[in-house]
Structures are given as C-alpha cells and as structure tokens.
Amino acid sequence: MPHDHDHQPPADLGPAFQWAVGLNTAYVIVEGAAGWITGSLALLADAAHNLTDVAGLLIAWGAAVLAKRAMTARHTWGLGRATILAALLNAIAILVGVGAVTWEAVQRLEDPVAVPGMTVMLVALIGIAVNTGSALLFMSSRKGDLNARGAFLHMAADAAVSGAVVLAAAGIMLTGWDWLDPAVAIAVSLLIAITAGGLFREALHLSLDGVPFAIDRSRIADWLAAQDGVQSLHDLHIWPLSTTRTALAVHLVWDGADADRFIDRVTDALADDHGIAHVTLQLERQPCERAGA
C-alpha cells in the first residue's frame, strides 16, 4: 500500500527578499555617500556591511528559488541543499566584513577623525528603521529555516550596528571624543562575529550531512526501538536535504504482521512529531550483514 511523502516546497520568501534587497540597496547608497562626505568610519563600516548583506540576500534568495525546483533524474533530492550553502556563504561574508571593519577601526583609533555627530546620527536612525523592517520580514521563518535565519541575522546585525552608531554620534556630540566612532565599530563588530560564528558552525555542520541540531538522534533511535514489533535497529542515518527538510533511513529488525500499516504509522509520526518528512524504512526478519554498522 503506497503512503504519502511530504514534498511540499519551502515557504515562499520571494516578497520578503524583494523588499529587503530593495530597501538595503537604497540605504547602502545613502549611507555610503554620507560616510564618505562626513568621514565617519562607523557609517562607512555599516555601509560596507550592508553591501555584503545585499549580496548575501541575493545569494539566499537564489537558493530559496532553487530549493523550490522539482527533483530531476540528475538531482533526485532536488536542489534544496543550495539553501545550506547560502547560509554558509552568508556566515562567511559576515565574518569577512567584520574582520575588514575591525582592522580599519583599529587603525583609526590611532588617528581619530572628527565627524559631524548630528549627520551621522540621522543617517544611522534611518538605518535602524530599514534594517529592523528587513529583519521583521524574515522573523516568522527564521526558526525553521537556516537560510531565512541567515538573512534575519544579517538584518538584525545591521540594525544593531546602526543603533551603536547612533550612540557613538550622541557621545561625540556630548563629549567631543572622536575615538568613540571607531571604538563602537570594533565593539559591535565583535558582537556580530559571535552571532555569525554560530551560524557558520551550524551551516558547516549541515553541509557535511550532520544531524540537524534540532533533532536528537539518540531520542529517535530509542523511539524507533520502542515501536511494536521492532527487535533491533541499525544503519540509522539522519541528514538534511535543505535548511527546512530532513531525511531518515534505517534498517529495522521487525516481527510484526502488517508491514504497510506499520510503515504508515511510523513515517507519519516521524513527520508530525519530529519534523522528518522523508523517511525510508527497511524491514528485516533477521539482521542483515550490515547489522551493527
């Protein structure tokens, strides 16, 4: 008896990417011009980071489009793994940008440049609105989709940078301490690096077919072993097909009577309770030669 497999495409994030790319491209132009005219490293740093974000958003958008394409004879799982690669590239882009900004800021600390605090503050306030709005576009999807999480982190990080720039501008106006501009750029860059490091770690883990962090392999194994008729199991593999889809394959030594009913019940439970929609169960009356692998 055939049973259903969930091949639903990932959520359509196209409109969110369109708005985010448009808003951030416009803001990069405004902020970069303001930073160049005023000589504010904090604004230039934020503009550079926003520019990498636009590239990151385009990569993530392209990956989301590829993930929705149907499977082919050459790509039997489809192209969903592109979303994992996009998240990895996003993390790398953030870390590279952070390194460049930090290096320049350290140089600037030795020779602070006077900047017009009010102009810097006004531009950064616009940045807070743009980046916060962009982040909100991906908020509902970030928990279940690492690709969307990468886009969300990019936007949230930029909102944080813009907020820090506002504080730096206010501090400069109140105290005249021009070194606050590069100091704030360094502090925020380090905070962003910590967040991006987590994204990089998870994306790299998934790209190497690691079990998604949200799934407990031991718990899945115990649950399968406790099902009616299951004597033992081996060759349990759990791996990501994309940032939103997970696959499982396992050999079960089973002595039940109705194989179709058993498979339907187990596959439905794995999909509904554990978020694993692509399941392959091999039922065996006796352990095969691979048992214990």
Side-chain angles (χ1 to χ4, degrees), residues 110 114 119 121 123 129 140 158 166 204 248 280:
E110 299 176 359
T119 301
M121 179 180 288
V123 174
S140 62
D158 277 344
V166 169
L204 180 62
L248 177 151
T280 301

Side-chain angles (χ1 to χ4, degrees), residues 74-206:
R74 300 296 296 174
H75 296 91
T76 57
W77 285 116
L79 298 175
R81 190 167 289 259
T83 58
I84 298 175
L85 297 178
L88 185 61
L89 289 174
N90 260 327
I92 293 174
I94 295 175
L95 292 172
V96 170
V98 164
V101 169
T102 302
W103 174 260
E104 181 62 26
V106 169
Q107 306 303 311
R108 185 66 68 87
L109 276 175
E110 299 176 359
D111 185 22
V113 176
V115 296
M118 181 56 70
T119 301
V120 172
M121 179 180 288
L122 291 176
V123 174
L125 284 172
I126 296 174
I128 292 176
V130 169
N131 292 311
T132 299
S134 297
L136 290 175
L137 293 172
F138 300 98
M139 178 172 286
S140 62
S141 302
R142 76 187 192 283
K143 292 183 178 180
D145 186 341
L146 190 65
N147 191 35
R149 180 184 162 199
F152 173 82
L153 286 178
H154 254 130
M155 300 299 97
D158 277 344
V161 172
S162 296
V165 170
V166 169
L167 294 178
I172 291 172
M173 288 190 293
L174 290 174
T175 65
W177 297 344
D178 292 320
W179 58 265
L180 285 174
D181 184 66
V184 166
I186 292 174
V188 174
S189 293
L190 292 177
L191 290 175
I192 292 173
I194 294 174
T195 301
L199 176 64
F200 176 82
R201 173 174 172 264
E202 185 170 357
L204 180 62
H205 174 76
L206 293 183

Side-chain angles (χ1 to χ4, degrees), residues 217 220-221 223-225 230 232-239 247-253 262 266 270 278-284:
R217 183 185 183 280
I220 297 294
W223 181 84
L224 287 170
V230 175
S232 64
L233 62 89
H234 57 95
D235 279 330
L236 171 59
H237 301 285
I238 304 172
W239 71 98
L248 177 151
V250 65
H251 292 211
L252 300 176
V253 179
F262 174 82
V266 171
L270 286 170
H278 296 265
V279 176
T280 301
L281 303 179
Q282 180 166 321
L283 304 183
E284 304 166 352

